[in-house]
Amino acid sequence: MINQEERNVKIAVEQLDFFYGQTHALNSISLDIKENEVFALIGPSGCGKSTFLRTLNRMNDLIPKTRVKGSVQIGGQDIYDPDVDVVQLRKSIGMVFQKPNPFPISIFDNVSYGPRAHGLKNKKELMGIVEESLRQAALWDEVKDRLNDNAMSLSGGQQQRLCIARVAAIKPEVILMDEPTSALDPGSTTKVEALINELKQNYTVVIVTHNMEQAARISDKTAFFLNGYVVETDETNQLFTNPKEKQTKDYITGKFG
Amino acid sequence: MKFQKERNNKSNIEEGIVKKVLFVMALTAITSLGLIAFFIFNEGMPFMIDYGIADFIFGTEWDPSNQVYGIFPMIVGSVIATLLAILIGAPIGIAVAVYLVEIAPPKVARIIRPAITLMEGIPSVIIGLFGMVVMLDVIRRLARGPLSEYLPAGYQTGYSVLAGAIILAIMILPTIISISADSIRAVPNEYKEAALALGSSKWQTIYKVVVPAAKSGVLAAVILGVGRAIGETMAIIMVVGNTVQIPEAGWEGIFAPVRTLTGNIALEMGYAGPEHRQALFATGIILFIFIIIINSITLVLRKKED
């Protein structure tokens, strides 16, 4: 395993504030997320962890009357700079959502959606990307004979892995996951978790999870969010075995949440 | 026992009465539909069989004073006017729906939405007046000016299937807009988020994900528009020229004055003798069948959507 300190910082968040109208949803968040790291965000519902995740690919831009202060640098570039093209940004920051959300079209068309939207037309190349991405998402063997079937015919777990393949197909640098297993059964959850472990070879993964065991199983580092603040950030092992803050300790031992 | 039904409980009686009253009202609606269908078929069907169904439908001459009743030119007129209207109205209507739901800032949408509702309420005769004064003039100038050397004299009056189609397109716009907007609005937000998060632009998201996902509703909207267009009478009489003829094949044909099925009935019913009257009822049957087919298609599409 590579030493944590030797990796480059991929995402540097400094003094980030976020507002929904008058509501101050995030309070001066500062975090460093390193390359090829799985970074977990934990905390009770409404603590701001999903909001934070969505500031990293500017999905919050879609919600009217929201405001951002502070800076988010990804690969050294401030993504809230006015010159940043959001579409370009989202090509390099993939996102997997809580509820599997494949498009109601064929499996092939789902995975090739991104590359096509970015202008790739060559059938052969597309096929190559589709196969590679489905293999990365550990779904290839299950669907290789029915790539033309509607994605809606897949099970929930398969749909979520399809969504991961769809993200892998755009070859992002970072993958954001918003509680990707909360709608899945335990078997599918295990598969997706194994997959996340694979994905960190190639990507930086930031994952929001409700499930503390999951954070402990799959992540290298964990940040504990509460009421819009980051209470504590540490190596996952440290945070779960030896939390520095009382609030963290109370949360992970189940006193609230 | 406490939960036993009380036979004479006041609210139970009320319940029963309300149920029956509503049932009778529902029945009235269905009965009137049944009666209309019955009378049209009763009046028109015997004539159609006597005259020969094929001769009636495919006959190209309509001359009631000599007992010649062929309605093919009217069928062609209705079909061309409707198809042209859809060709013009559907893209515009769908575009407006997309704009309204996906792009327009809330302030603009607040102005457009009631405007569309108002548009739906404008009496067709008013739209017809607009057509007579404004559109006929424009088309006439075009037909007598730059296009005059290509068009026969009879096609240069401005009264034309094109004028009818434009009027119809305006009239079906509200239907197409409001129904497609509903189905576009019903596209799950998750699809949009997924598409945007994959780095597609807003426009790509709309035409690759949102509109395809709303496809069946949009199609239903267009077909309802067809139904409305084919049944429209007043406005189209005012601009379409009402000449019984089949337009020439080719682009010149859109400048030809034509008569529609609806126009045929409305124009002649006032002075028709007994047989002529039956022929007009038979025209109504053909129209009725068109509408039934169109509505069935809509129903099938709606079912598919669920």
Side-chain angles (χ1 to χ4, degrees):
Chain A
M1 208 174 148
I2 315 163
N3 189 312
Q4 287 288 340
E5 298 311 315
E6 284 171 11
R7 292 184 190 152
N8 296 320
V9 171
K10 184 74 193 169
I11 304 174
V13 181
E14 250 175 275
Q15 299 291 322
L16 183 77
D17 283 75
F18 187 83
F19 304 85
Y20 292 107
Q22 296 300 316
T23 315
H24 199 161
L26 295 175
N27 275 288
S28 59
I29 309 284
S30 296
L31 286 177
D32 281 345
I33 300 172
K34 289 181 174 156
E35 260 173 8
N36 302 86
E37 170 171 82
V38 176
F39 196 103
L41 312 172
I42 62 166
S45 299
C47 66
K49 55 194 191 304
S50 287
T51 300
F52 173 72
L53 191 75
R54 294 166 66 100
T55 59
L56 301 182
N57 65 345
R58 294 186 53 176
M59 283 305 272
N60 288 326
D61 290 14
L62 305 175
I63 306 166
K65 294 182 183 149
T66 55
R67 218 148 40 82
V68 184
K69 248 172 64 189
S71 93
V72 178
Q73 299 214 349
I74 297 184
Q77 207 185 350
D78 184 351
I79 63 166
Y80 283 96
D81 190 283
D83 287 337
V84 165
D85 179 355
V86 183
V87 171
Q88 292 298 329
L89 168 74
R90 292 187 188 136
K91 281 183 198 175
S92 40
I93 318 285
M95 187 168 208
V96 178
F97 296 82
Q98 185 169 2
K99 213 177 115 201
N101 57 355
F103 303 126
I105 50 181
S106 75
I107 294 170
F108 182 89
D109 287 343
N110 261 284
V111 183
S112 61
Y113 177 88
R116 271 192 188 149
H118 307 156
L120 184 64
K121 290 204 176 80
N122 185 311
K123 269 265 155 154
K124 229 172 156 184
E125 274 180 69
L126 283 172
M127 190 58 224
I129 292 176
V130 168
E131 176 171 349
E132 185 193 335
S133 311
L134 285 168
R135 281 189 192 282
Q136 277 193 48
L139 191 60
W140 174 251
D141 290 329
E142 290 161 63
V143 301
K144 63 181 178 210
D145 299 322
R146 48 181 183 130
L147 292 175
N148 290 320
D149 285 11
N150 195 304
M152 295 307 186
S153 65
L154 298 173
S155 74
Q158 288 174 323
Q159 287 188 9
Q160 194 62 304
R161 279 181 284 146
L162 178 67
C163 292
I164 294 172
R166 189 172 62 181
V167 166
I170 64 172
K171 301 193 163 51
E173 294 164 27
V174 178
I175 297 183
L176 310 175
M177 297 185 160
D178 191 356
E179 302 191 29
T181 61
S182 67
L184 305 184
D185 60 86
S188 303
T189 300
T190 310
K191 280 189 185 151
V192 171
E193 285 183 7
L195 185 53
I196 292 168
N197 217 8
E198 291 289 313
L199 288 172
K200 75 172 180 182
Q201 312 294 332
N202 300 315
Y203 310 102
T204 305
V205 179
V206 186
I207 178 169
V208 165
T209 176
H210 232 59
N211 178 332
M212 280 176 282
E213 288 79 29
Q214 182 171 66
R217 278 195 299 269
I218 62 173
S219 69
D220 303 309
K221 263 184 132 179
T222 300
F224 170 54
F225 277 69
L226 187 65
N227 300 328
Y229 290 90
V230 172
V231 175
E232 188 171 350
T233 309
D234 211 335
E235 306 289 319
T236 300
N237 289 336
Q238 277 294 318
L239 189 118
F240 280 100
T241 53
N242 194 11
K244 292 189 189 73
E245 303 289 332
K246 186 174 176 301
Q247 284 169 316
T248 315
K249 193 177 172 195
D250 288 349
Y251 182 69
I252 60 177
T253 53
K255 286 207 175 130
F256 70 97
Chain B
M1 251 207 291
K2 260 189 178 168
F3 303 126
Q4 193 130 37
K5 254 192 195 162
E6 288 181 52
R7 273 200 182 278
N8 294 319
N9 184 308
K10 195 177 154 222
S11 70
N12 278 354
I13 295 170
E14 257 177 32
E15 194 92 352
I17 291 173
V18 169
K19 244 188 207 166
K20 280 189 185 103
V21 169
L22 289 180
F23 176 71
V24 170
M25 286 174 178
L27 209 62
T28 321
I30 293 173
T31 316
S32 44
L33 174 69
L35 282 176
I36 290 170
F38 174 77
F39 276 111
I40 293 174
F41 277 86
N42 193 42
E43 291 278 322
M45 209 61 208
F47 164 81
M48 221 154 92
I49 290 163
D50 274 0
Y51 189 82
I53 295 178
D55 287 338
F56 179 67
I57 294 178
F58 296 110
T60 54
E61 207 181 319
W62 176 265
D63 186 1
S65 44
N66 290 314
Q67 286 86 48
V68 181
Y69 305 102
I71 61 161
F72 197 62
M74 278 72 101
I75 294 179
V76 172
S78 277
V79 169
I80 296 181
T82 302
L83 287 183
L84 267 180
I86 291 297
L87 224 56
I88 302 166
I92 299 175
I94 296 167
V96 174
V98 166
Y99 176 74
L100 200 60
V101 178
E102 294 293 332
I103 298 166
K107 274 184 194 160
V108 179
R110 267 203 294 278
I111 299 168
I112 299 180
R113 231 176 283 130
I116 291 165
T117 318
L118 183 66
M119 196 171 153
E120 199 155 18
I122 296 177
S124 63
V125 67
I126 304 289
I127 297 183
L129 276 179
F130 163 78
M132 278 183 101
V133 175
V134 181
M135 252 164 34
L136 289 188
D137 190 52
V138 173
I139 293 173
R140 194 179 298 125
R141 276 166 202 245
L142 201 65
R144 288 197 179 148
L147 299 177
S148 60
E149 47 182 316
Y150 307 104
L151 298 175
Y155 286 14
Q156 294 185 8
T157 57
Y159 288 99
S160 58
V161 65
L162 176 64
I166 295 174
I167 285 293
L168 288 179
I170 295 172
M171 297 186 69
I172 61 178
L173 267 182
T175 312
I176 295 184
I177 294 170
S178 55
I179 296 175
S180 354
D182 283 347
S183 67
I184 291 171
R185 212 171 281 126
V187 172
N189 209 28
E190 285 94 30
Y191 294 169
K192 278 179 241 171
E193 285 199 325
L196 290 168
L198 286 168
S200 40
S201 65
K202 187 154 192 177
W203 170 235
Q204 282 175 328
T205 304
I206 289 170
Y207 88 97
K208 284 198 164 146
V209 175
V210 177
V211 174
K215 187 173 56 190
S216 54
V218 171
L219 210 58
V222 170
I223 290 169
L224 272 180
V226 171
R228 185 149 187 227
I230 210 161
E232 171 48 38
T233 311
M234 194 61 224
I236 200 158
I237 288 177
M238 294 166 78
V239 297
V240 87
N242 303 311
T243 314
V244 182
Q245 63 169 348
I246 296 173
E248 277 178 33
W251 66 269
E252 301 94 337
I254 64 172
F255 289 93
V258 297
R259 183 183 286 194
T260 61
L261 291 167
T262 50
N264 195 38
I265 301 171
L267 290 165
E268 298 190 355
M269 201 46 122
Y271 62 84
E275 192 190 41
H276 186 185
R277 211 176 99 105
Q278 287 172 346
L280 295 177
F281 268 97
T283 309
I285 295 179
I286 303 299
L287 197 56
F288 203 79
I289 290 170
F290 267 112
I291 299 287
I292 289 174
I293 293 172
I294 291 161
N295 278 21
S296 318
I297 297 173
T298 325
L299 273 182
V300 170
L301 284 176
R302 283 261 157 113
K303 218 171 241 169
K304 232 171 141 188
E305 198 170 17
D306 302 337

